[in-house]
Amino acid sequence: MSQYPNSGMLGKAKQPKINPKSPDYTGHLDIDISLLKEMIREAQDEQAESVKIKLGAWIKEGQYGKFFSIKISTYKKPESAPAPKIDEEDIPF
């Protein structure tokens, strides 16, 4: 497990680009099992075929040059607020 769960890095590929389909950047993500379970549970609840993952990235400088530090999370649906209770005595008619 990474020191920073649900995060990773993406840096310039260390191997030379031999063909046009080779990636320009490579990296990794360390995803906490509890987040994976939450994503699966949400997909099952919504009968979804996929899960949308939210990414955040920061440009950092490291031993081998610049890279992207990445943080992931799931999209949360806004919870609907309960309807306000109306006291019938407050109705003027």
Side-chain angles (χ1 to χ4, degrees), residues 8 15 18 23 25 35-36 38 41 44-46 49 53-54 57 60 64 66 69 73-74 81 86-88 90 93:
Q15 306 202 342
I18 297 171
Y25 291 83
L35 180 60
L36 287 173
E38 179 184 336
R41 196 170 36 251
Q44 289 172 335
D45 290 348
E46 297 175 13
E49 294 293 319
I53 298 173
K54 187 175 173 181
K60 303 258 181 145
Y64 301 105
K66 289 186 178 182
S69 174
S73 60
T74 59
I86 299 174
D87 188 0
E88 291 187 21
D90 292 339
F93 47 90

Side-chain angles (χ1 to χ4, degrees), residues 4-12 25-26 28-29 54-62 65-73:
Y4 304 103
N6 305 321
S7 64
M9 62 83 57
L10 185 65
K12 192 158 185 68
Y25 291 83
T26 60
H28 69 272
L29 288 173
K54 187 175 173 181
L55 292 174
W58 296 262
I59 298 172
K60 303 258 181 145
E61 187 81 33
K66 289 186 178 182
F67 66 96
F68 291 102
S69 174
I70 300 170
K71 178 81 174 160
I72 67 165
S73 60

